[in-house]
């Protein structure tokens, strides 16, 4: 069964450094999402992406965040200058149709630790 | 702000008993509801989806939805130690036609052998 994959599984970085988290959505999917989960807290929506543009972003997704689908297969989340509070699990998800018509499945996540 | 509320637990249930997990949501327009299971350090794993009022059964799991009361629940029958996890309630919320999942904080369930 096709799965969403994410790399790296773990990333440690210094505060102020740029990180890029990578996701490979399921191949025929068109809608892409990033969520994050700070340790011990709830899963929070960051951004949704469709037709090569952002559909919606949360208040967490400030100017330090960006998303890109550079080559038709990868979907990346970039954090330009990481802060301590960016430490979290980051989950990618994708669907072929809008959420109300299809179940959303999550990738395994990237654990980001900012020191 | 569209909210999803869950009792964070921990909820402890003896092996073989029924575990009952509850969730309320604030957006009366929500139509799609999900229960995910999350083991520590892992991603959420879909257990059940429910869209209509009433009960939906899948093996040992039963989801119940009451849109008038804005209430969703999950029953786990014949609880097993492997059911020990955090259970996340999620609701599709819509903002200007854009859809996303809004999660509750999760209920930590422990099955006692």
């Amino acid at each position: 069964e096709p799965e969403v994959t994410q790399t790296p599984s773990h990333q440690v970085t210094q505060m102020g450094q740029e990180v890029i988290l990578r996701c490979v959505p399921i191949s025929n999917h068109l809608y892409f999402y990033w969520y994050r989960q700070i340790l011990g807290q709830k899963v929070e929506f960051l951004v949704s992406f469709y037709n090569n543009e952002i559909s919606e972003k949360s208040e967490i997704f400030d100017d330090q965040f960006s998303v890109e689908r550079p080559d038709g297969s990868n979907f990346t989340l970039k954090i330009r200058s990481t802060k301590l509070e960016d430490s979290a699990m980051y989950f990618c998800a994708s669907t072929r149709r809008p959420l109300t018509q299809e179940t959303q499945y999550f990738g395994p996540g990237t654990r980001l630790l900012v020191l | 702000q569209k909210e999803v509320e869950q009792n964070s637990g921990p909820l402890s249930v003896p092996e073989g008993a029924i575990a009952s997990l509850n969730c309320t949501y604030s957006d009366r327009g929500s139509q799609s509801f999900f229960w995910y299971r999350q083991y520590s350090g892992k991603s959420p794993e879909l257990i059940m989806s429910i869209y209509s009022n009433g009960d939906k059964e899948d093996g040992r799991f039963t989801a119940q939805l009451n849109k008038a009361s804005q209430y969703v629940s999950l029953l786990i029958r014949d609880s097993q130690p492997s059911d020990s996890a955090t259970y996340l309630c999620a609701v599709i919320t819509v903002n200007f036609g854009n859809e996303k999942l809004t999660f509750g904080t999760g209920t930590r369930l422990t099955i006692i052998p």
Side-chain angles (χ1 to χ4, degrees), chain A residues 37 55-56 99-100 103-104, chain B residues 36 38 43 46 98-100:
Chain A
Q37 186 177 31
S55 305
E56 184 181 0
L99 267 183
T100 47
T103 303
Q104 187 172 74
Chain B
Y36 285 83
Q38 187 177 33
S43 63
L46 182 70
N98 297 309
E99 302 162 344
K100 62 180 181 286

Side-chain angles (χ1 to χ4, degrees), chain A residues 32-35 44-50 53-67 75 77 80, chain B residues 1 93 95-100:
Chain A
F32 312 108
Y33 308 82
W34 283 101
Y35 294 81
E44 300 175 288
F45 169 79
L46 287 178
V47 66
S48 56
F49 190 87
Y50 170 71
E53 60 183 28
I54 290 174
S55 305
E56 184 181 0
K57 56 185 181 181
S58 72
E59 58 269 19
I60 302 168
F61 195 90
D62 62 22
D63 291 345
Q64 295 302 311
F65 289 86
S66 62
V67 288
F75 179 50
L77 174 69
R80 288 188 186 82
Chain B
Q1 184 97 8
T93 54
N95 185 31
F96 295 104
N98 297 309
E99 302 162 344
K100 62 180 181 286

Side-chain angles (χ1 to χ4, degrees), chain B residues 89-110:
Chain B
C89 175
V91 175
I92 291 180
T93 54
V94 183
N95 185 31
F96 295 104
N98 297 309
E99 302 162 344
K100 62 180 181 286
L101 281 178
T102 298
F103 285 85
T105 52
T107 298
R108 187 156 56 92
L109 174 66
T110 301

Side-chain angles (χ1 to χ4, degrees), chain B residues 77-88:
Chain B
R77 289 183 299 282
D78 188 23
S79 298
Q80 304 295 311
S82 59
D83 295 327
S84 296
T86 297
Y87 288 81
L88 310 178

